[in-house]
Amino acid sequence: MTENTIGLEQMSIVVIGHVDHGKSTVVGRLLADTGSLPEGRLKQITAQCARNAKPFEYAFLLDALKDEQSQGITIDSARCFFKSSRRHYIVIDAPGHIEFLKNMISGAARAEAAVLVIDAKEGIQENSRRHGYLLSLLGIRQVAVLVNKMDLMGYREEVFQGITAEYRDFLAQVGIQPTWLIPVSAREGDNIVSGSDAMPWYRGPTLLDALDTFDKMPSPVDQPLRLPVQDIYKFTEQGDDRRIVAGRIETGSVRVGDEVVLLPSGKRSRIATIEGFHVPPQTRAQAGQCTGVTLTEQIYIRPGEVLCRATETPALTGTQLKVNLFWMGRRPMIPDKRYKMKLTTASVPVWLRQVVTVLDASDLTTDANRRQIERHDVAECVLETLRPVAFDRTSYIPQTGRFVIIDYYEIAGGGVITDPVTTQTRRVQEKAQDRDRRWEPSRITPAVRAARFNQRSTLVLICGPANTGKREVAKRLEERLFERGRFVYYLGLSHSLLGNEMGDHEADERDETLHRLGEISHLFTDAGMILITTVSGLDDDELETIRTLNHPNDCLVVNVGQALLSQDRVDLQLDHCRDLEGAMAKIEELLSTKEYLIEYYL
Ligand code: GTP
Ligand code: MG
């Protein structure tokens, strides 16, 4: 880049279209005709072609450039650059729709505008439509449509008018109004950077001029803060128990002293410091920066939560999402199969709950009676995540409103969230209802059992952070109640539940275990027993899952130490269990006052 253009703004564009319609040639032309190629490169490639008796192709420039650029580790090989007098352009090379969608959704390549190429001879093809739809899905509204290879059609205006009329209609159906429709010949250089003598009937701008009319997207700094938590780092100095909450600020800004809320957990705190990587601490950080913050209160945070400012519109939370989804998987997406959703930094199991409509993106025919989503379909559907997630409607904040779906370790689909859904029953509720329907109830009622055992049954859940001595309390409590003739059992569930720092796999295992716990406790409490167990790091939603599965039987929650659960869900709060006897006495008292332990009548 030359000195006189330093300081110009940048805009990223994506060039898409059907196979062989001339995407690479358009980009090659842009590079060559704006003088953005390294000195002598054009000559070198033409000479090379001549030597090999191969016709010169502008597309070769791209390959040559890529080879060269990818040798320097700083340059992403999937991009190339050119400039106009107004700004620098970054072209995102997206060879197929998988890469395109992947890049777009991961945010790795946020295109602000698109150039859609259609071959004048072949006309509108499947991908011309599909890519048009993807643009609408991804919310790219600045679009220049090129009718390319006009030279093959004698540069005739009717050809251009015919194709653009048809394509305009199509785009209108998906809510896109192309900003420009330009007849070009990329190979001959008509209307790419210079105008065309061959098409005097066209009075609009060249491609380069058209690109220059596009606007930069409003800076995400002005939107509410969204800082998805990537990781939590511990300070290593002795006695320092602070944690650095690290991630990339997607939108908005944050200052020291701001009151913040973490979603979906709803925990609140204040920003104590903003740490920089290799730079001194800052007082403010904003969209686009990778940063780490520390909080004034030590609250328990998991990666995948989104940090928002308490004074701004918070992210939405929930387990059910209405989405527009583009499916690319080799196998169709089907209900009742577990997939993985990646949404910001969160990674959660997800199920297809309901297919509202399926759209064949290539011809826009809809089908409202489908149960599954085939490859290349675009579907409006409802997804359900295992745990609540924080998100935004894509129309409000695109960065936190898009996701990808993983199937067999591969990206199989991607899409955008259009709305939260709150009306449907959750999977776990359905599971419990289904179980109850199949349950053959015993003729001995809970009241009769209570009278026999001198106790009402309940699950006693002792929870709180790991390593607080909960298990010892639970075991002693079992012994104590047993000695006193109670019908009691300590359930020592897998130790993996005690882990606080979990990878994906452990998180899945934990979910399985909690479901099992819900089912088991339903059996034991049905049988009239007081069941005692411990779970570390239980959050509100996990508790809800256990309660749902244990329903209609009771559950008492004892929290030890720092509360991870909302206060109103805790029946007894203990600060610690160093005094074992004291802790037990309090739990026993709770059981008595709530009339789980019935005194003997003589
Ligand atoms: P894929 O990357 O394979 O999808 O193709 P592409 O869309 O990048 O097309 P590419 O630029 O490689 O062009 C495909 C063929 O069309 C090449 O042989 C080009 O020379 C030819 N072509 C591209 N633009 C024009 C044009 O304006 N006129 C004519 N006559 N041929 C063109
Ligand atoms: Mg190409």
Side-chain angles (χ1 to χ4, degrees):
M1 289 172 196
T2 52
E3 308 87 273
N4 61 356
T5 54
I6 282 176
L8 286 188
E9 67 178 17
Q10 289 192 348
M11 180 182 268
S12 358
I13 59 169
V14 62
V15 180
I16 49 184
H18 199 72
V19 178
D20 267 358
H21 280 198
K23 302 176 291 293
S24 302
T25 309
V26 167
V27 178
R29 258 294 173 188
L30 280 169
L31 295 175
D33 294 3
T34 54
S36 307
L37 291 168
E39 199 61 34
R41 177 51 46 92
L42 190 56
K43 272 207 189 100
Q44 186 194 337
I45 308 271
T46 18
Q48 215 171 353
C49 288
R51 266 202 308 281
N52 300 330
K54 209 160 85 172
F56 169 78
E57 288 271 356
Y58 275 92
F60 295 160
L61 291 171
L62 283 189
D63 299 334
L65 211 58
K66 263 188 227 163
D67 288 346
E68 171 172 295
Q69 290 185 337
S70 57
Q71 279 166 21
I73 41 161
T74 47
I75 298 174
D76 181 343
S77 65
R79 294 160 196 223
C80 53
F81 308 89
F82 65 91
K83 60 182 186 296
S84 69
S85 53
R86 177 158 186 210
R87 54 166 84 104
H88 289 290
Y89 288 94
I90 304 165
V91 186
I92 302 156
D93 196 18
H97 35 264
I98 299 208
E99 289 77 5
F100 172 51
L101 201 71
K102 239 193 264 188
N103 290 343
M104 294 300 300
I105 287 176
S106 67
R110 188 88 193 101
E112 293 166 272
V115 176
L116 215 147
V117 183
I118 302 176
D119 185 320
K121 193 165 173 209
E122 281 196 13
I124 296 160
Q125 297 292 315
E126 210 172 293
N127 279 346
S128 322
R129 293 205 179 85
R130 197 170 278 145
H131 289 178
Y133 191 84
L134 285 181
L135 292 181
S136 120
L137 193 77
L138 293 166
I140 300 176
R141 293 285 180 270
Q142 309 194 98
V143 182
V145 175
L146 301 186
V147 178
N148 186 31
K149 308 194 191 180
M150 285 301 291
D151 55 299
L152 295 181
M153 304 305 285
Y155 293 108
R156 276 178 296 143
E157 186 175 5
E158 320 81 85
V159 176
F160 175 71
Q161 296 299 356
I163 290 176
T164 50
E166 187 186 341
Y167 200 56
R168 226 194 253 274
D169 279 354
F170 169 81
L171 288 181
Q173 287 180 66
V174 297
I176 290 188
Q177 253 197 319
T179 324
W180 302 107
L181 296 143
I182 312 173
V184 304
S185 166
R187 201 173 71 177
E188 306 305 323
D190 296 275
N191 290 335
I192 300 289
V193 172
S194 339
S196 166
D197 293 336
M199 292 177 278
W201 46 265
Y202 174 74
R203 305 226 163 68
T206 62
L207 172 59
L208 189 67
D209 289 340
L211 291 176
D212 275 349
T213 68
F214 288 148
D215 295 319
K216 286 289 293 174
M217 305 230 280
S219 163
V221 175
D222 302 329
Q223 284 179 296
L225 174 71
R226 297 292 183 261
L227 169 51
V229 178
Q230 184 79 51
D231 226 326
I232 291 105
Y233 300 102
K234 292 175 195 164
F235 275 92
T236 44
E237 282 109 276
Q238 275 194 335
D240 196 341
D241 64 351
R242 285 177 303 154
R243 302 272 182 278
I244 301 182
V245 181
R248 180 176 186 273
I249 303 180
E250 291 293 342
T251 57
S253 62
V254 65
R255 279 174 194 282
V256 168
D258 279 349
E259 194 186 343
V260 292
V261 54
L262 280 138
L263 294 170
S265 72
K267 300 209 177 83
R268 284 168 180 264
S269 187
R270 225 169 250 286
I271 303 284
T273 61
I274 298 177
E275 309 287 324
F277 291 118
H278 310 298
V279 287
Q282 329 266 300
T283 54
R284 183 174 183 274
Q286 66 178 45
Q289 279 177 273
C290 291
T291 187
V293 300
T294 63
L295 304 174
T296 50
E297 279 102 302
Q298 287 321 304
I299 51 177
Y300 178 81
I301 302 167
R302 287 187 185 156
E305 293 210 64
V306 178
L307 191 100
C308 304
R309 274 164 84 178
T311 51
E312 294 174 333
T313 310
L316 301 166
T317 59
T319 54
Q320 299 196 352
L321 314 166
K322 190 167 208 181
V323 305
N324 279 327
L325 176 131
F326 181 61
W327 191 249
M328 303 170 281
R330 266 180 294 253
R331 303 173 192 79
M333 187 183 202
I334 52 173
D336 296 321
K337 181 177 164 186
R338 183 186 182 119
Y339 298 92
K340 182 139 272 178
M341 173 189 266
K342 294 204 184 232
L343 167 67
T344 69
T345 53
S347 172
V348 286
V350 69
W351 288 265
L352 172 63
R353 284 306 301 271
Q354 191 198 342
V355 182
V356 183
T357 49
V358 172
L359 186 91
D360 182 329
S362 63
D363 62 7
L364 286 194
T365 52
T366 54
D367 187 344
N369 299 312
R370 288 261 289 274
R371 290 272 297 144
Q372 60 181 43
I373 306 170
E374 308 290 335
R375 186 172 207 188
H376 292 160
D377 280 342
V378 174
E380 188 186 328
C381 54
V382 177
L383 303 179
E384 178 171 343
T385 54
L386 183 72
R387 295 182 287 280
V389 285
F391 61 93
D392 285 285
R393 287 184 175 91
T394 188
S395 54
Y396 184 50
I397 301 184
Q399 288 85 343
T400 40
R402 51 183 181 227
F403 60 87
V404 292
I405 304 285
I406 314 285
D407 186 22
Y408 295 101
Y409 306 100
E410 267 178 15
I411 292 186
V416 294
I417 301 167
T418 52
D419 279 301
V421 182
T422 47
T423 48
Q424 291 211 343
T425 40
R426 288 181 63 172
R427 275 178 57 87
V428 57
Q429 282 170 297
E430 268 176 21
K431 194 172 158 187
Q433 285 164 3
D434 195 44
R435 176 200 65 200
D436 292 346
R437 259 194 304 275
R438 291 185 222 191
W439 204 268
E440 186 76 39
S442 156
R443 279 197 291 261
I444 299 168
T445 64
V448 171
R449 269 181 228 280
R452 159 66 62 86
F453 297 134
N454 286 305
Q455 66 182 43
R456 287 193 307 127
S457 74
T458 183
L459 168 65
V460 180
L461 259 177
I462 306 182
C463 43
N467 307 320
T468 45
K470 299 186 294 292
R471 245 181 311 156
E472 193 47 35
V473 174
K475 286 181 184 169
R476 286 285 300 121
L477 183 65
E478 181 202 25
E479 284 160 10
R480 162 95 59 109
L481 294 175
F482 186 82
E483 280 158 19
R484 300 193 179 168
R486 305 293 178 178
F487 184 36
V488 62
Y489 183 67
Y490 163 72
L491 178 64
L493 224 48
S494 159
H495 284 206
S496 66
L497 275 181
L498 297 172
N500 256 352
E501 275 136 52
M502 292 182 297
D504 271 8
H505 175 69
E506 290 85 354
D508 285 1
E509 202 175 311
R510 177 180 171 95
D511 291 321
E512 298 274 329
T513 316
L514 291 177
H515 273 80
R516 220 175 306 137
L517 171 59
E519 292 289 0
I520 294 171
S521 77
H522 179 253
L523 281 175
F524 278 65
T525 47
D526 238 34
M529 188 177 273
I530 292 176
L531 181 70
I532 306 166
T533 193
T534 64
V535 182
S536 291
L538 194 73
D539 66 24
D540 286 358
D541 188 65
E542 290 173 334
L543 174 61
E544 201 47 47
T545 298
I546 296 172
R547 278 190 193 277
T548 304
L549 292 167
N550 185 45
H551 181 83
N553 305 333
D554 289 4
C555 173
L556 283 179
V557 178
V558 179
N559 189 73
V560 182
Q562 195 191 349
L564 311 175
L565 293 161
S566 305
Q567 253 164 20
D568 59 348
R569 312 214 179 195
V570 177
D571 297 289
L572 175 65
Q573 169 67 33
L574 299 175
D575 293 333
H576 53 80
C577 10
R578 284 193 287 276
D579 168 16
L580 209 59
E581 291 299 318
M584 269 192 308
K586 282 189 184 144
I587 301 175
E588 244 189 306
E589 192 190 316
L590 175 73
L591 284 165
S592 295
T593 49
K594 296 230 172 195
E595 296 178 348
Y596 289 99
L597 302 178
I598 305 168
E599 293 318 317
Y600 297 89
Y601 302 107
L602 296 170

